[in-house]
Amino acid sequence: MPRGSAEAVFAVARAAGIAEASVHEVRVLGGDGAPAEELTLKSSAPKIREFLRSLLCSPLFDRRTFRFSAHEVLALVNEESAQRVTIPAGVPLTDVHHDLWRHCHVTASLVARTCVSAALLGYAMLHEDTLLAVGALIFTPFSPLVLSAALGVAARRTELTREALRVLLVALVLTLSAAALTGRWSAGRCRRRTSAGRPATSWRRR
């Protein structure tokens, strides 16, 4: 944050119930070289969540000059009791936003998971294999993409909504293609079995 902003930011933290913080001056490389300050806060999850919510809504916060990161602390020993420090809190919106963004990229992993899950699901449906169908559904990429689009609409994040819909369309095309190829391969296999005089239906051990 810019020099001289630590006191104002700490006032926001104090309003959220955080009693103390540490601040020191830093020099940012790769920027304009202007002196900056780094503020460190350590407190329970509910208080940090309230502080981040207030900071994001505060006129002090400017994405061009302010940066922050939140880290999970496994243990925090201070004047507060363990009962108060360990109160569970929901995941901050910033964490949810970044986590959903990780699913909104077309990567080799996304293509592989989509094609394999669609092929396995198509095969399971053709052969009435419920266990395989459930396993294939676990790897489908649609749930995080739908959540990303919904969050983008609700939070008015146009870029997230657009990217989620684009990746969703790619995943849908890959799914339909993989399922069609699986169905064609399975039909050809059934025809070969029929022409060879063997029953075309699959069998399973009871």
Short mmCIF file of all heavy atoms in Angstrom, two decimals, residues 7 63 160:
data_model
loop_
_atom_site.label_atom_id
_atom_site.label_comp_id
_atom_site.label_asym_id
_atom_site.label_seq_id
_atom_site.Cartn_x
_atom_site.Cartn_y
_atom_site.Cartn_z
N GLU A 7 -2.09 3.58 8.76
CA GLU A 7 -2.93 4.00 9.88
C GLU A 7 -4.41 3.92 9.51
O GLU A 7 -5.24 3.46 10.30
CB GLU A 7 -2.56 5.41 10.32
CG GLU A 7 -1.18 5.54 10.94
CD GLU A 7 -1.09 4.87 12.30
OE1 GLU A 7 -2.14 4.67 12.92
OE2 GLU A 7 0.03 4.52 12.71
N ARG A 63 -7.25 -0.93 -6.42
CA ARG A 63 -6.55 -2.08 -6.97
C ARG A 63 -5.21 -1.72 -7.60
O ARG A 63 -4.32 -2.56 -7.72
CB ARG A 63 -7.41 -2.79 -8.01
CG ARG A 63 -8.63 -3.49 -7.43
CD ARG A 63 -9.44 -4.16 -8.53
NE ARG A 63 -10.59 -4.86 -8.00
CZ ARG A 63 -10.57 -6.15 -7.62
NH1 ARG A 63 -9.44 -6.83 -7.73
NH2 ARG A 63 -11.66 -6.72 -7.15
N LEU A 160 -15.88 -12.78 -15.81
CA LEU A 160 -15.98 -14.15 -15.31
C LEU A 160 -17.14 -14.89 -15.97
O LEU A 160 -17.00 -16.06 -16.36
CB LEU A 160 -16.18 -14.12 -13.79
CG LEU A 160 -16.40 -15.48 -13.10
CD1 LEU A 160 -15.21 -16.39 -13.32
CD2 LEU A 160 -16.67 -15.29 -11.62
#
